[in-house]
Amino acid sequence: MTAMAKAAPSAGSTEMPYDAEDLMRAIIAFGPYRAVLIPLCDEIARIGLGNRQIHAALHTVAERSGFAATGRLRRADLGPEAAPLRAFLEHIRFASPAFLRSVGEWPLGEARG
Amino acid sequence: MAEAMSCDVVIVGTGAGGGILAHELAKSGLRVVSLEQGGMLAPDYFRTEVPPGATKDFGIGPDTTWPSDPHDSLFVHPLFADGTVGSTSRPAGGFRHFQVLAVDGLQNLWNGVSVRFSPKDFRGFPFSYGTLAPHYSAVERMISVCGTVENLAELPDGDFLPPKPLRPADRLVVSAVEALGEPHSHAIPNRKAINTRAGTAASCISTGMCTSGCPVGAVYKFSARLLPEIVNLPNYELRTHAKVVRLLRQPGARQLSGVEYIDTRNGERKVLDARIVVLAAGALETPRILFNSADEADPRGLANRHGQVGLKLQDNPKVVLSTSLWKLWGKRRDYDIGYGDLLILLSQGRLPDGTSFPFIGHAIHGLADVPHYLAGLKPFPPFVKERLAQMMFHSYVTLGLFCAGEPTPSNRVLPGRTADRYGVPQVEVDFSIPDSAHAKMDAMALWARRVLRRASATSIYSTRDNSGTGIHYAGTTASARDPNEGVVDAQLKAHDIDNLYICDGGVIPVLPDKHLTLTIMALAHRLSRAIVRQAAEQDALSA
Ligand SMILES: Cc1cc2nc3c(=O)[nH]c(=O)nc-3n(C[C@H](O)[C@H](O)[C@H](O)COP(=O)(O)OP(=O)(O)OC[C@H]3O[C@@H](n4cnc5c(N)ncnc54)[C@H](O)[C@@H]3O)c2cc1C
Ligand code: SF4
């Protein structure tokens, strides 16, 4: 676990801090893109925490599941947050180096002339 | 020049109008200070801090949302000012006003489309196309616009660099427009303020889209092209983090003595004396400064004796339609992606009452590295989705079309009840979409569908808007001969104040369909000549 991934709960909350990287790994494991996304997990957790909507969704899921205490997550714990989290991960799958390489567009940020 | 207490000309803002003015006036030898609310972006800002597309963090920023509207991706850039610093408090559901408070203003993110208004477009102006034509030419050379000579009356030609070559997607769109068989419909190479010359340090490297900021400075903006030419002149100073809050004068006087501004780094209030003041702060901020300059003699704000400040806010109604062209399925890219939108589209729509109206737009085909297309693939299971996404990757085309705004007095900017984080009163916007704009958006969407279908469109995703997302703000300090019709005269001088000029989108009285920024810059070029003359006359008098 990286320090970056140790996510504090929302202000005023008495919840324990949870490990965002572990939580993200558990969420990714439910989805169809785990083979590509698990190796990117630390990066995905960092980006998720930096995004307002995903940050909030992670907190909600962590609180709902008691993830900080148990380290366990059931699919049902994702609740209404399942949809944005799935879309977030799918976005990363299709913007990933592996996918962009498969369409001949990796690396990015270079001349396309 | 060291921080001056006084100058000949103070220019508020370093955007489209402010940048050209600063360059021309500083070169003329006048003592010029540009006061700019924001700072200068780091030189590598668009290369490493916030690079385009999926280069960094898969294109996900703090404000990316899921599910998101693919056509909204343009509006979540971190450079856009929020309600704590902007001209408005940006209330939810209201007119969406976009500002970039930094050197170069909105031109940090603009798309560079640089088209001249046609002679007909000047019908509501107090001057003609002929008056502005030489200034269009001069600015085109200063900012280097690529394009082709087409001899179309509705889109006057200019002085162009060669454009980048059309791609298969463009050729499908060109054929589709030709197949309509309409003499008024055209698909021609785009005209953009881009350095397309090969081999210079700031040549376009074809990242495939310009609206996320140019990583190499190939798209024109003041700091990339003109500022380097004047920044070391002894008679020029760019003062950043200087937020102008009001104009100063003796109550009732027709002459300003200068401006008051806040140093946004420490909150200190300062005064800069000036012989001439130019407001180029944008079509919402300029009225705000005028309202906030109210004094006993003019309680409704300066330059507002006739109650015209803030009225007739306009933005272009627009429709955006995206699709995948099946004729491009399975194709790999063996062509230069260029600057994304290589085509300008021009046509006329027909309204239910039988009248017609012109519209303009562009055809965009960029890299789909940020997968906005996923919304369209929602019904498919992951395995199929992956195959489809690969097959369709180079097939996406978006048409964005704009029609004219409408100068409706009730659509307006007015003094607000909120203040920004510096305690400066903000403005509010009353804006409702005119019925005619709805009808025009219907007609444009219909035309775009016909074109896309002929180009082999599959499912089409369509959105429309006329509440700020055109980001072509105009009309709020209109130029008019009659002080009862506008705020500035044909020379852009305030009717009520003799040494105050305005030069941003606000002075455009009637917003045509065409992108307005080249016209703002041409107006700035023309205004610089008038200011040099006025300063010389003042000198002669005082001598
Ligand atoms: C994504 C995008 C794409 C676009 N594409 C095109 C296009 O292709 N073609 C086109 O014609 N137009 C386009 N536009 C619109 C174009 O960018 C604007 O019309 C134009 O830049 C407006 O210039 P301006 O100088 O009037 O205003 P601004 O760019 O808003 O400049 C105002 C300046 O004043 C500064 N300022 C504001 N308040 C104060 C204050 N109180 N004191 C001191 N300084 C202040 C700001 O920081 C800024 O530098 C686009 C805009 C965006 C965002
Ligand atoms: S396409 Fe060219 S001009 Fe546009 S941002 Fe990329 S490099 Fe700059």
Side-chain angles (χ1 to χ4, degrees), chain B residues 11 19-32 142 222 225-237 525 528-529 532:
Chain B
I11 303 166
I20 297 284
L21 275 160
H23 181 262
E24 294 302 291
L25 293 175
K27 288 263 178 176
S28 79
L30 289 169
R31 291 178 307 129
V32 178
M142 288 163 80
F222 174 55
R225 294 285 173 83
L226 301 180
L227 179 62
E229 293 182 22
I230 56 172
V231 72
N232 292 322
L233 292 179
N235 59 319
Y236 179 68
E237 186 197 344
H525 191 266
S528 67
R529 301 319 188 241
V532 171

Side-chain angles (χ1 to χ4, degrees), chain B residues 465-476:
Chain B
D465 191 38
N466 180 211
S467 52
T469 56
I471 322 188
H472 294 160
Y473 309 127
T476 52

